Amino acid sequence: MVWRIAPTRPAMLVALIALTACSDAPDMAIIPAASFEMGETVDYGYGEIDGPRHTVEIAHPFALAKTEVTVGQFRTFVQETGYVSEGLCNIYTDDQSWHLDPSRNWEHPGFMQGEDHPVVCVSWDDTQAYTSWLSEKTGKSYRLPSEAEWEYVASMGGIEGDDDSVSHDEANIGLVDCCGGKIEGQDQWIETAPVASFPADRFGIHDMRGNVWEWQADCHQETYDNAPIDGTARTECETPDRRSIRGGSYGDAGDYLSPRYRLPGPQSQGYFTVGFRVAHDIE
């Protein structure tokens, strides 16, 4: 595979300083412009959903948060704005598949979390409220990454081993032989881990795979037919309330951790395995 990456410019370093000037702004990494091959026509057992493979030109560098948004960061947003999430959080248990649990929300996901853990049980709508607040507070335009931006970083960042697998030394994941749990001596956390507990990738990004799935800016469609080829998010939706989720979580392994694997989620509901990270255009 051939990747073409634009060189980092001094102006980008100035932009990075500006991005992190506000105390509420997340620590960001500059991702250079690039051309890459996105998607792959693979049948995971329920249809070929991740193709057709196509060339994407990310024409401009962008900034991506080094970690997922934490419980503490989301709490600051809630305390300053009085925002109330609908708290529609999906969970699964040993005796019941995915279902909404009214007792679960971002403050009470059903397991212990510190302020430095990635926030979960937040909906796509919640992420929009958060990024709007952060943008107004900092004077910068924060947003979710597009699927193309996310896939480029996850593909090029390179945390996987020689066989393209992701190990317990590299990410907070579930049992490799499926599904959930921890491996004694390797996996310290059964659920979420504090952000940046595992090594960063080549861009300085942590937890692109594992820990929690991440909401994307895009409307979800089953294929990439007529998808943008400039790295921007897909905004024309066949099903308007479905948004894409990527990256796998603390309970996942195998194909779920592939940089190209994606799932749909209803934008008004959260999951106890799903969080988000923010992005920012470089002006």
Side-chain angles (χ1 to χ4, degrees):
M1 180 182 295
V2 178
W3 304 81
R4 293 194 291 106
I5 305 174
T8 301
R9 300 188 299 273
M12 291 165 58
L13 300 179
V14 174
L16 178 58
I17 294 172
L19 284 172
T20 56
C22 173
S23 61
D24 290 313
D27 196 7
M28 308 293 284
I30 298 295
I31 310 300
S35 173
F36 79 107
E37 297 300 308
M38 182 177 180
E40 188 170 7
T41 303
V42 174
D43 190 340
Y44 290 108
Y46 48 83
E48 296 176 346
I49 66 169
D50 296 329
R53 195 168 179 82
H54 58 288
T55 301
V56 172
E57 288 274 356
I58 300 176
H60 303 286
F62 64 97
L64 186 67
K66 293 183 179 180
T67 68
E68 294 144 343
V69 173
T70 65
V71 172
Q73 290 169 328
F74 198 80
R75 190 184 310 281
T76 297
F77 153 65
V78 169
Q79 290 174 342
E80 290 195 8
T81 63
Y83 179 80
V84 179
S85 170
E86 289 191 46
L88 300 175
C89 186
N90 287 277
I91 70 164
Y92 65 83
T93 60
D94 290 340
D95 57 1
Q96 189 174 1
S97 186
W98 286 105
H99 62 282
L100 288 171
D101 184 338
S103 70
R104 308 291 185 97
N105 55 56
W106 72 268
E107 289 185 286
H108 306 287
F111 49 85
M112 295 295 295
Q113 285 191 302
E115 294 294 282
D116 58 350
H117 284 233
V119 67
V120 295
C121 287
V122 287
S123 68
W124 190 89
D125 291 336
D126 291 335
T127 73
Q128 300 307 287
Y130 178 88
T131 54
S132 292
W133 164 77
L134 188 60
S135 297
E136 182 176 357
K137 189 174 182 66
T138 62
K140 304 293 182 180
S141 183
Y142 285 90
R143 55 177 174 79
L144 294 180
S146 70
E147 286 200 79
E149 290 170 336
W150 193 98
E151 183 170 321
Y152 168 64
V153 174
S155 299
M156 191 60 180
I159 66 164
E160 69 280 349
D162 293 337
D163 60 353
D164 294 329
S165 65
V166 181
S167 77
H168 287 264
D169 294 326
E170 297 161 330
N172 181 26
I173 61 176
L175 290 178
V176 174
D177 293 331
C178 190
C179 295
K182 66 176 182 178
I183 292 180
E184 189 68 30
Q186 290 182 287
D187 197 350
Q188 183 177 346
W189 298 276
I190 298 177
E191 289 93 12
T192 56
V195 298
S197 293
F198 291 82
D201 68 11
R202 297 187 185 103
F203 293 116
I205 307 292
H206 297 270
D207 304 319
M208 285 294 282
R209 255 84 65 77
N211 217 9
V212 294
W213 293 84
E214 298 177 12
W215 286 110
Q216 310 290 290
D218 301 62
C219 296
H220 183 86
Q221 293 192 29
E222 290 189 354
T223 73
Y224 291 128
D225 290 330
N226 301 314
I229 58 173
D230 60 357
T232 59
R234 178 179 287 192
T235 57
E236 295 182 2
C237 309
E238 294 174 354
T239 307
D241 67 342
R242 298 291 183 189
R243 299 286 170 169
S244 287
I245 302 169
R246 286 176 175 257
S249 77
Y250 54 83
D252 296 308
D255 290 337
Y256 291 109
L257 302 174
S258 166
R260 296 185 173 88
Y261 193 92
R262 45 203 268 281
L263 290 171
Q267 70 178 51
S268 62
Q269 298 179 18
Y271 296 81
F272 74 160
T273 55
V274 179
F276 69 107
R277 77 177 68 226
V278 297
H280 189 297
D281 294 325
I282 301 299
E283 299 175 354

